[in-house]
């Protein structure tokens, strides 16, 4: 690994639209993002070296995140910004090439990299270092062989299985993530409805503006006042676009935690899988030991067809029995190793996940409190701007 504090400054400086052929040979348009990284190590002359600047596609960020999730199954992986806009109110573009959407995604990708680079575990990963500093980083990530592990994990995680003794802590964590998802999605839905209503209220003033301007033309004494009121109405109607674009920035911070809820659930599901594999291995070992005992003593504890056959047709020859016992002994040794390995894996996952969970809760409380306070302050300043236009209109 590399030192966690090696990155002095990381930013996604700009986005650019490009065209090219995809894997199927079809022409496509996509966005690329300029990742700039400045390392803390100064050069031989004591000066800081120039930053590494590399263009990366969104799919490369996805690859980095997949790799980190497979390599560190107990980590609550920082989410990427949404692939396509969700919780859109009707005037917000859902087109992923829309400049405002691309800009919000640029901010989100930078936030993702900053979260990864400041994480106590993820920041030490050398593939992250390759992603930030090398053109041929894909080869490095595929050389780790993570893809095969990822594929088998995906298959295992999508299968249905039930653990016999679920860990109480992980049951609570899953409940916590369900609540987080439910509350954040309700908040986002309500905010989208309010944005729609607000947009309508502001824009209707544009119609009044037109009426006042036309009216001012036929009024001698009140003409100037009416025209001025019309201008204020127009300015008021136009101001909502910037307000709602700024609001979208806060909505994105809430959306990040909606995605975090999914990352939490993934950690719980991975623990369930490890626990399930441990339970299966333990059960298998018990049954093998029981078979060994039956073979050694000739006493069958449970009803089985083989036991019945032995009773009817007599026991097998000692040589055969010795051979079977030898095979069983080997399988039992293997089974004991598997149980030991799975127990260690389970314990490591539990320990790592609990540290993660504490860290995550502190970060979530701080981030959401900050985002909601700033959102409220923005609403207050927006409302304070309104009276000046209304007073002028009234005059």
């Amino acid at each position: 690994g590399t030192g966690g504090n090696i990155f002095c400054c990381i930013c996604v400086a700009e986005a650019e639209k490009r065209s090219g052929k995809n894997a199927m040979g079809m022409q496509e348009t996509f966005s690329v993002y300029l990742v700039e990284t400045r390392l803390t190590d100064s050069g031989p002359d004591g000066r800081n070296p120039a930053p590494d600047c590399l263009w990366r596609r969104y799919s490369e960020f996805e690859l980095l995140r997949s790799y980190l999730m497979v390599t560190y199954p107990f980590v609550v992986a920082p989410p990427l910004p949404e692939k396509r806009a969700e919780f859109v109110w009707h005037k917000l573009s859902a087109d992923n090439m829309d400049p405002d959407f691309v800009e919000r995604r640029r901010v989100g990708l930078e936030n993702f990299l900053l979260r990864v680079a400041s994480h106590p575990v993820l920041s030490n990963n050398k593939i992250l270092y390759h992603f930030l500093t090398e053109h041929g980083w894909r080869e490095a990530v595929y050389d780790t062989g993570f893809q095969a592990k990822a594929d088998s994990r995906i298959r295992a995680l999508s299968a249905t299985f039930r653990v016999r003794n679920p860990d109480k802590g992980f049951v609570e964590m899953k409940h916590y993530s369900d609540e987080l998802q439910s509350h954040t999605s309700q908040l986002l839905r309500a905010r989208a409805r309010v944005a729609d209503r607000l947009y309508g209220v502001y824009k209707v003033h544009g119609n009044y503006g037109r009426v006042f301007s036309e009216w001012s033309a036929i009024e001698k004494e009140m003409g100037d006042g009416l025209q001025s009121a019309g201008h204020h109405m127009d300015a008021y109607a136009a101001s909502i676009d910037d307000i709602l674009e700024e609001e979208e920035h806060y909505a994105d911070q809430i959306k990040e935690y909606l995605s975090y809820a999914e990352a939490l659930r993934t950690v719980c599901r991975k623990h369930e899988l490890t626990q399930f594999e441990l339970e299966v291995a333990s059960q298998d070992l018990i049954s093998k030991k029981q078979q060994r005992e039956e073979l050694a003593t000739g006493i069958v504890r449970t009803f089985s067809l083989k036991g019945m056959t032995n009773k009817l047709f007599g026991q097998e020859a000692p040589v055969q029995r010795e051979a079977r016992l030898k095979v069983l002994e080997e399988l039992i040794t293997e089974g004991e190793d598997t149980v030991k390995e799975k127990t260690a894996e389970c314990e490591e996952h539990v320990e790592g996940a609990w540290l993660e969970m504490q860290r995550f809760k502190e970060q979530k409380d701080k981030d959401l409190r900050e985002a909601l306070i700033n959102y409220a302050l923005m609403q207050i300043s927006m409302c304070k701007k309104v009276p000046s236009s209304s007073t002028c209109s009234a005059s």
Side-chain angles (χ1 to χ4, degrees), residues 286-301:
I286 290 168
S287 115
K288 293 256 189 317
K289 284 181 174 174
Q290 193 178 321
Q291 280 178 19
R292 178 179 64 182
E293 194 191 340
E294 287 172 4
L295 257 182
T297 61
I299 301 164
V300 177
R301 300 227 160 176

Side-chain angles (χ1 to χ4, degrees), residues 31-90:
S31 299
V32 286
Y33 301 87
L34 183 64
V35 178
E36 287 186 2
T37 311
R38 203 179 285 277
L39 302 178
T40 46
D41 306 346
S42 50
D45 51 2
R47 286 188 308 184
N48 279 337
D52 285 286
C53 298
L54 296 160
W55 290 98
R56 297 278 184 233
R57 287 187 65 169
Y58 182 82
S59 57
E60 293 181 85
F61 284 88
E62 285 182 309
L63 179 60
L64 173 65
R65 185 170 186 268
S66 298
Y67 162 77
L68 292 172
M69 284 175 77
V70 170
T71 312
Y72 307 100
F74 57 86
V75 164
V76 182
L80 287 167
E82 56 193 357
K83 198 158 191 166
R84 280 180 181 69
E86 286 178 39
F87 296 99
V88 293
W89 46 281
H90 81 281

Side-chain angles (χ1 to χ4, degrees), residues 5-23:
N5 55 359
I6 194 170
F7 313 114
C8 169
C9 173
I10 297 174
C11 74
V12 178
E14 57 179 290
E16 200 176 89
K17 199 189 261 188
R18 291 198 186 162
S19 294
K21 288 206 162 99
N22 62 16

